[in-house]
Amino acid sequence: MFTLAHLSDPHLAPLPEPRCSELLNKRVTGYLNWRRNRRFVHERAVLDAIVADLKAQSADHIACTGDIANIALPEEFRRGRAWLQDLGGAPEVSLVPGNHDAYVRGALALASRFWGDYMLGDDGDGLPYLRRRGPLALIGVSSAMPTAWGLATGRVGGEQLAALARMLAKLNGEGLFRVVLIHHPPVSRAKRHKLLDDAWALKHVIAAQGAELLLHGHDHLAMLNWLAGPGGTRVPAVGVPSASNAPGRAKHAAAYNLYRIDGSAGAWRCEMISRGMDASGEVKERERVMLAG
Ligand SMILES: [Fe+2]
Ligand SMILES: [Fe+2]
């Protein structure tokens, strides 16, 4: 049995105090939004309680689907590295960047510099990256890109999509449990300015090549959608709330998921166990769902 844990959107608090020169771009609206709203939603104590509970589960591997930062200040990447190192070593934690980690031009370079080893495939640099862990093939896809003011959209792009299709086909031949990690959901009810631009193309690749599981963040909601796979199969696409979302505020309270996976190709068993924070601040099991087997 292999246990994979998934958390997302930690949006590390508190926000470092920016220099004026660091706000001469899209960051200024994000900064005002943080001051007015988001600092009352994303709490470090909530995140710390979620991470402590997650660590107590002794997962074999942890996936984090982005938005560690808020407005991509250089100091947020330094603090993000410390947070990642506390979560686990780079071989045990797989990260994909979110739109807040790519908030302004140049931010993704900082993400690579400070967090690059958490986004490194077994065979080195490049996207999508591939990590083999036990019976799992973890495939990290980036949907993060700098966008204009007011936009939180994402895009995978033709090159990554073609490489993803090749990877999924090859790994299927190897009989591995294929897990796709991506920040933006392929299916979402969010407003247009927050969506994955080429979700249709991603769904097309999944429909042609299949996958056993797709994990995402971004909407800050507990979500389960079934994507069409090849030959009438279905692929679960699961999203988690923000790991720092205080209970009783906007969106769903902080939570993470565990996946208990065993079996073999054609006969996988995969149980999802959601654990999250209740109104009293305690982290406990919320639900169990059999996704396969
Ligand atoms: Fe987020
Ligand atoms: Fe996001």
Side-chain angles (χ1 to χ4, degrees), residues 68-98:
I68 293 177
N70 296 289
I71 57 173
L73 294 165
E75 180 61 20
E76 289 189 274
F77 291 95
R78 270 188 284 277
R79 292 184 189 182
R81 175 153 195 91
W83 179 77
L84 279 168
Q85 285 176 319
D86 176 66
L87 190 62
E92 287 80 48
V93 179
S94 294
L95 172 71
V96 290

Side-chain angles (χ1 to χ4, degrees), residues 32 42 56 91 167:
L32 293 173
H42 299 288
M167 240 176 222

Side-chain angles (χ1 to χ4, degrees), residues 25-60:
N25 49 31
K26 182 186 166 183
R27 283 198 191 108
V28 71
T29 48
Y31 178 69
L32 293 173
N33 191 21
W34 175 266
R35 298 289 309 168
R36 285 184 198 138
N37 305 307
R38 293 172 78 101
R39 71 189 168 114
F40 303 110
V41 174
H42 299 288
E43 292 185 10
R44 186 58 190 248
V46 171
L47 177 62
D48 290 348
I50 288 287
V51 168
D53 190 84
L54 186 156
K55 281 183 176 178
Q57 310 296 326
S58 309
D60 296 297

Side-chain angles (χ1 to χ4, degrees), residues 8-11 38 42 66-67 69 99-100 183 217-220 242:
S8 197
D9 298 76
H11 289 287
R38 293 172 78 101
H42 299 288
D67 277 2
N99 53 302
H100 283 263
H183 180 67
H218 188 59
D219 283 11
H220 297 194
S242 157

Side-chain angles (χ1 to χ4, degrees), residues 18-30:
R19 293 199 299 266
C20 287
S21 61
E22 291 174 329
L23 295 179
L24 297 173
N25 49 31
K26 182 186 166 183
R27 283 198 191 108
V28 71
T29 48

